[in-house]
Structures are given as structure tokens and as C-alpha cells.
Amino acid sequence: MNLKELYQEIILEHGKNPRNLGKTENFNKDAKGNNPLCGDNVHVYLKLNEQRKVEDISFEGSGCAISMASASIMTDLIKGKSDNEAKEIVEDFLGMIKENPELKNNILKEDDKTKLMCLSGVKQYPMRVKCATLSWHTLVSAMENDGKETTTEN
Amino acid sequence: MNINNIKKEFPIFDEKIQNNDLVYLDSANSSQKPKVVLDRINDFYSKKFSNVGRSIHYLAVAATNLYENTRSSVQKYINAKDKNEIVFTKGATEALNLVANTLGQAILEPNDEILITELEHHSNYVPWHFLRKSKNIKIKFAEVNEDGDIPIENIEKEITNKTKVIAITHLSNVTGAVLPIKEITQLAHSKGIVVVVDGCQGGPHLKLDMQDLDCDFYAISCHKMYGPTGLGVLYGKKKWLEQLPPYQGGGGMINEVKKDRISYGELPNKYEAGTMATAQVIAFDQSIKFLESIGIENIVKHEKELIEYGQEILKKNNSVKLIGNPKERGGVLSFTVEGVHPHDIATILDETGVAIRAGHHCCQILHDKLGIPASARASLGVYNTKDDLDKLNDGINNCKKIFDLK
Ligand SMILES: Cc1ncc(COP(=O)(O)O)c(C=O)c1O
């Protein structure tokens, strides 16, 4: 176990100053997510334009440094991607957190991938994996906009 | 048994937890188990095992006697008037569900009011919520004050002529507030209101005397009292347990079963349907003996010293904010650290073997009221020492370092 790997500079920085925090104007899709075990919650808003591109994305919520940083980095990386690209990135991220040693997608630039890999420290902390994945699951429900609340317990 | 040397009675403290000595500050969640309890479980399963109350062979009779011995020990420990006022359940949660369900069937009418408090654990709220759904019962909340206490006036204020039940915690698992159950019961009984106490935290930390408290029901969680998991105790006044309907049906709780009619067994069998947590009940006798051998007065004194010491060092640590400042605090120190989320605190403390809990501790109503989604909680048991609390404080300082706080 290694706290330094978990709490990397980038994570602490994003945790302290999350990007895209708030409710974006003119959002047309959104979803809420919560982790009933610990009370973390997140609300993801996005504006998907006619070309099915994520024109804007933001989140509101409260949680630990890991969950805040994860949501912050996620919104940064997803902005400007098409919904299909976004879904591929989400799947890749969740695969990496679960088992894959690396990210496989060809959509993100290398330095963005490096940024995302900073979250891989949670792999050693099974109880914290949900902190890192909640906002990503919530993004998927927002895109599908099925109006269901995402919970980490499903 | 001397409380200052008690860690050695608990095998887990001989273990290295991720290469660290264990600093266990999560006893409000569940306590560690002394060797005598573990030995009894092993002894029962390996040398004396049989189901209780059914067969007439030697082992069955011996097991039944052991099982009933625990009932007598619990009765004495909590000073209940009658042995049959002790019902074993799968936990305090089941005990509270039993009470809510059977009172719901027997005495509650639509629009009747249940008065609980903002301090309640979900297991003393959700079972009443079921009645809100099924019977249109109203639930009212006595307000917690800024010290994390429920002054009796706040209870009195909410009582109306519709109030039928007051369901209340003895000791808050978040603020540590000890509530004046005896006075609350006097007040309630003067108005014909039934009193149900969630005694989960009272059990391990306070002297229990049912006849003195005079409450109608008291729920105990054995795994928080140095006993096995899967076991709780419901104390209920005989007049209630006799009057209320059974909770679960099955073997053991019946008297006579015919195609067209069934009659139920006498107390305590009436509430113990099916095969019970036999080994746990039998081992819990050793938990009671363990507590008795230290003496509850000594436990109260020891924990009081630790709580005072813990409050003192945490108050000195700027950026730590203690939750609540109740008149009488037992066993629990909840706090937040400015700039560090409780989960991060728990993970960082864990790295040095300090086990605490982070989250809402099954008290979302209280956390909403406090305006925080979660808190960190250090909770005490007989085995804790001032050194443990120093390590807690060191760990908090380490969090501040990692998060670059002053
Ligand atoms: C105040 C309180 N009530 C109820 C419970 C539930 O007890 P049990 O685990 O025995 O069902 C707990 C334990 O988490 C508690 O602290």
C-alpha cells in the first residue's frame, strides 16, 4: 500500500480546486449518483449538441479528495468528445480501475492518459474504488438520461 | 480483571495488521472479542454441539441448559425482573423491527404519532417508517441541540395526545450524548406513552438497570459488547411481550398446530422462531462474565478518562472540529478536519494501523442537520489507551501534512 501513489499531487490539486464544478447553463442531460455506504453524492450535467458532441459538462457534489478529483478530471477530459467517444473512455477507465494495467483507447492524448492514470492508485484500496468510479457511472446515466439515480450499490 | 492490562485478553492485538500494531477505534461499530468468548464458541462447536430445545438426548439437554444460562446472565446483568423478558434476536436491528412491527399490529392506529429523535440510527427510524407506509402512522423528530444533545424539553415539546411511542437512543453513536432515559420514561409513562430504547451503545458503555430505567423495551447489540455477531437481545416488559403478537412464525414458537388453528408458545419461545444463533448465545455468556469481571464502574471510569483526554488533544489540534459537546459523553468522538474529507482521513489513518470509521454512521438525518455529508469517528472500547488516542492525533497530523494544511 502506498499513500503517495493514492494521493498524488494532481489528485490533491484537483480535489482542492475541482474543475467544472457547478451547474452548467443550458444543460440538456443530467443524472445524480450516490454511494449509500458513505454518503458521497454527485450530480453530472451535460450539454449534448445536435452532432452528439459534449459541448459542456459540469458536476456538483461532495465527497473525498479521490471522488472530487476523479469527477474533475473526468469532466475535463470528456468535454468536446462525442457521446460514443465518451462512452468508450468511460469503459476504458472503468476497465483500468478494475483490472487492466493501462488505458487502451486511442481517443485521449498521451498526457491526458497520464493524468487519468493518476487515479490508478485506488486499485490498492478496494474500499475506495467506488469513490473514483461514482462520477463515471453517473456520466453514463446522464448520457442515457434514463432519469434513474445511479448508486454504487447496484 | 485489571482494565489497564486488558489488551492481552484479546488475541487480535497480537496480530500485525498490515505490519502495524492495531489501534482499534471502531468499537461503536463492533467491538473486538476476548479469548474467553472465542474459546467458548470453539468449545461448543467441537465438544458440545447440538441444537437446543428439541431433542432429548444428552447433548441437546446440555446445549439447552447453556443457552438458557445466557438468558439468566443477561437478565442479571441488565437487572430485568423476569428471565422471560429476555428475547434473543439476530441483532439490535431485528429487536427494533420486532417491536415496531408488533406494536404496529397491536396498538397503533392511523394518525398515531411515534416520536423519535434526530440522533437516531437508521435502525431506529426505518422500522417505524414501515408503519408510516403501511398504517399511515406519523413520525416526529425531537430536535437535537447544538451540543448534540436532546434536552428533555425538546421531547416534551413534540408530545401530543396522539403520541403512542417514544423510540430513542440511550447513547448517540455519533455525538456520544447520553440521554436521560429514566426521566424521559417517567414523562412518557405519565402520558401513557410506550418507551422503546435503542441500547446499542448503552450496552457496552453504561450500567444497565431495566427496573431503574423502567423503559418498556430495550434493544441490545451483542457484537458491540465483546460478543459474537449475529446476536442481539430484546428486553421487553413481560406485560408487553405477553400481550403483543408473535413476530416470526415457525418451529419453536408454537404450542399446538392444527389444520384449522395454531396456538403460540409461551415466553420467551414465542419470539424465538426457528433455530437461533445457538453458539453465539452460548458464547455471549462469556462476554457478560468478562464485563462483570472488569466491573462496569471501572469501564465507565476508564472510558471517561479516555474521552476527556481525547477531547483535550483534539481540541488543541487546530483544524479538528469535534462534533457535539454533550453534557454527558460516552465512548464516541466524532470529528471533521477542515480541508480533509473523512474518507481520506480514514484511509490515511489506516496506513498506520489506526482503524476508525468515516461516513454518516447510519445517521443521515443527523448529518443533514449538521450540514455535513460525513464525519470521522473514533470510538472506544475497554482495551483502548491514551497511547491509542495519541496515535489518532498523530494520524490526523499526517493527514494535514499530506493535504498540505497548516
Ligand atoms: C445506535 C445504534 N443502533 C442500532 C445499531 C444496529 O445494531 P445491530 O448491528 O446489532 O443490528 C447500531 C450499530 O451499528 C447502533 O450504533
Side-chain angles (χ1 to χ4, degrees):
Chain A
M1 302 263 168
N2 190 341
L3 280 180
K4 285 221 171 65
E5 253 172 63
L6 183 64
Y7 293 108
Q8 297 188 28
E9 229 17 74
I10 295 193
I11 306 251
L12 292 173
E13 203 276 318
H14 274 265
K16 230 179 259 174
N17 307 300
R19 321 291 194 269
N20 310 306
L21 189 64
K23 191 170 176 173
T24 174
E25 266 178 44
N26 306 325
F27 69 90
N28 50 16
K29 299 204 169 260
D30 73 306
K32 279 188 193 169
N34 83 62
N35 179 345
L37 283 184
C38 58
D40 275 1
N41 60 76
V42 64
H43 195 158
V44 172
Y45 301 92
L46 44 132
K47 187 171 170 202
L48 207 58
N49 68 17
E50 270 155 27
Q51 291 80 47
R52 304 205 63 78
K53 202 167 123 176
V54 179
E55 212 170 278
D56 205 358
I57 175 167
S58 71
F59 76 101
E60 288 177 331
S62 69
C64 61
I66 309 296
S67 71
M68 288 286 108
S70 183
S72 170
I73 295 171
M74 174 188 85
T75 49
D76 249 2
L77 300 186
I78 294 298
K79 204 182 284 185
K81 307 288 187 294
S82 74
D83 63 345
N84 283 333
E85 286 173 332
K87 278 180 194 158
E88 194 180 327
I89 295 169
V90 173
E91 217 166 278
D92 195 20
F93 173 76
L94 296 176
M96 183 275 286
I97 291 291
K98 216 163 155 194
E99 54 197 1
N100 303 335
E102 276 161 47
L103 294 165
K104 296 175 176 160
N105 74 79
N106 296 317
I107 304 162
L108 292 174
K109 294 194 292 268
E110 278 314 308
D111 57 338
D112 283 343
K113 282 192 188 171
T114 310
K115 207 189 272 176
L116 207 43
M117 284 305 288
C118 289
L119 286 160
S120 66
V122 297
K123 289 179 177 198
Q124 294 177 51
Y125 296 84
M127 296 300 286
R128 303 302 300 278
V129 163
K130 287 171 178 174
C131 307
T133 58
L134 176 63
S135 56
W136 296 76
H137 287 298
T138 310
L139 169 62
V140 175
S141 352
M143 285 192 295
E144 287 165 2
N145 212 4
D146 51 13
K148 270 205 295 267
E149 185 153 341
T150 301
T151 108
T152 53
E153 296 313 290
N154 282 339
Chain B
M1 203 177 289
N2 187 339
I3 200 162
N4 295 315
N5 203 7
I6 216 136
K7 268 194 184 165
K8 67 174 178 17
E9 307 296 331
F10 291 78
I12 199 156
F13 293 113
D14 297 334
E15 297 294 311
K16 289 283 177 204
I17 308 296
Q18 297 188 79
N19 300 319
N20 292 301
D21 288 334
L22 173 62
V23 176
Y24 191 73
L25 292 169
D26 197 19
S27 298
N29 188 350
S30 198
S31 67
Q32 295 298 344
K33 319 303 170 201
K35 185 160 184 299
V36 284
V37 171
L38 304 174
D39 285 350
R40 177 54 73 94
I41 293 175
N42 194 19
D43 174 68
F44 174 63
Y45 274 128
S46 46
K47 299 192 181 139
K48 308 199 168 88
F49 182 77
S50 168
N51 207 344
V52 302
R54 296 182 184 181
S55 308
I56 53 165
H57 55 76
Y58 176 82
L59 285 175
V61 174
T64 305
N65 286 339
L66 287 171
Y67 184 94
E68 290 304 321
N69 282 347
T70 304
R71 202 188 306 276
S72 301
S73 299
V74 173
Q75 180 209 342
K76 285 198 204 87
Y77 191 73
I78 69 174
N79 193 28
K81 206 185 244 165
D82 192 310
K83 186 170 175 254
N84 289 336
E85 295 180 321
I86 309 301
V87 175
F88 292 113
T89 62
K90 90 169 169 64
T93 300
E94 189 180 60
L96 291 165
N97 275 277
L98 186 165
V99 177
N101 178 289
T102 55
L103 282 176
Q105 290 183 59
I107 67 161
L108 298 173
E109 305 284 344
N111 296 316
D112 278 350
E113 292 171 4
I114 311 282
L115 177 53
I116 70 170
T117 80
E118 291 178 339
L119 284 178
E120 297 317 307
H121 188 280
H122 296 164
S123 48
N124 197 22
Y125 172 29
V126 185
W128 304 108
H129 167 76
F130 288 166
L131 297 178
R132 182 159 65 182
K133 288 276 163 195
S134 65
K135 280 202 100 167
N136 200 23
I137 279 163
K138 304 279 179 283
I139 300 178
K140 293 176 91 179
F141 294 84
E143 202 178 5
V144 65
N145 70 11
E146 52 198 36
D147 291 333
D149 252 327
I150 312 272
I152 196 163
E153 303 79 65
N154 291 11
I155 292 173
E156 196 160 13
K157 220 164 46 193
E158 301 297 336
I159 294 176
T160 71
N161 58 8
K162 292 265 180 206
T163 310
K164 292 286 166 63
V165 177
I166 295 179
I168 190 165
T169 187
H170 197 175
L171 196 168
S172 161
N173 62 319
V174 179
T175 70
V178 178
L179 303 188
I181 298 300
K182 189 175 172 177
E183 289 70 33
I184 293 167
T185 303
Q186 275 167 0
L187 171 70
H189 284 176
S190 73
K191 297 169 190 279
I193 300 167
V194 179
V195 177
V196 180
V197 181
D198 176 352
C200 279
Q201 304 297 339
H205 299 299
L206 302 172
K207 183 173 164 59
L208 299 184
D209 184 336
M210 292 305 123
Q211 295 185 63
D212 183 53
L213 290 181
D214 199 36
C215 55
D216 299 285
F217 298 94
Y218 194 97
I220 288 175
S221 180
C222 299
H223 67 92
K224 298 181 203 287
M225 286 177 80
Y226 314 101
T229 53
L231 187 64
V233 168
L234 173 66
Y235 160 81
K237 274 191 182 159
K238 201 168 165 191
K239 66 164 186 196
W240 282 115
L241 295 181
E242 280 176 348
Q243 177 194 338
L244 293 176
Y247 177 53
Q248 288 181 342
M253 54 74 71
I254 45 79
N255 177 33
E256 198 182 35
V257 177
K258 299 287 174 198
K259 279 193 172 161
D260 59 347
R261 72 197 133 84
I262 294 173
S263 62
Y264 307 129
E266 303 270 310
L267 290 176
N269 298 350
K270 176 179 168 188
Y271 289 104
E272 293 181 3
T275 295
M276 299 293 288
T278 315
Q280 290 92 321
V281 170
I282 288 171
F284 189 57
D285 199 33
Q286 292 297 316
S287 310
I288 299 284
K289 294 207 161 73
F290 172 77
L291 287 164
E292 283 171 344
S293 73
I294 310 171
I296 187 68
E297 297 77 16
N298 295 323
I299 295 174
V300 169
K301 182 164 160 275
H302 173 75
E303 291 179 352
K304 190 161 187 265
E305 277 168 23
L306 288 180
I307 283 288
E308 278 166 12
Y309 182 72
Q311 280 179 317
E312 197 182 303
I313 55 174
L314 293 184
K315 274 181 186 160
K316 273 193 214 139
N317 193 332
N318 59 356
S319 51
V320 173
K321 198 169 157 247
L322 274 170
I323 294 178
N325 183 30
K327 275 204 208 78
E328 192 185 343
R329 190 198 280 268
V332 183
L333 288 166
S334 296
F335 58 93
T336 53
V337 176
E338 181 90 51
V340 191
H341 190 277
H343 292 159
D344 297 313
I345 301 173
T347 296
I348 294 168
L349 289 176
D350 186 43
E351 206 76 1
T352 55
V354 180
I356 63 157
R357 182 164 171 193
H360 52 54
H361 321 300
C362 303
C363 293
Q364 249 185 307
I365 302 286
L366 177 64
H367 281 81
D368 285 351
K369 174 87 180 207
L370 296 168
I372 50 175
S375 60
R377 179 183 73 186
S379 56
L380 304 175
V382 288
Y383 28 64
N384 289 119
T385 60
K386 288 186 179 170
D387 187 50
D388 292 341
L389 294 167
D390 288 333
K391 286 187 177 136
L392 169 71
N393 198 37
D394 293 346
I396 295 172
N397 288 333
N398 190 29
C399 296
K400 288 160 68 174
K401 212 163 92 201
I402 289 175
F403 278 73
D404 200 20
L405 303 167
K406 293 284 135 16

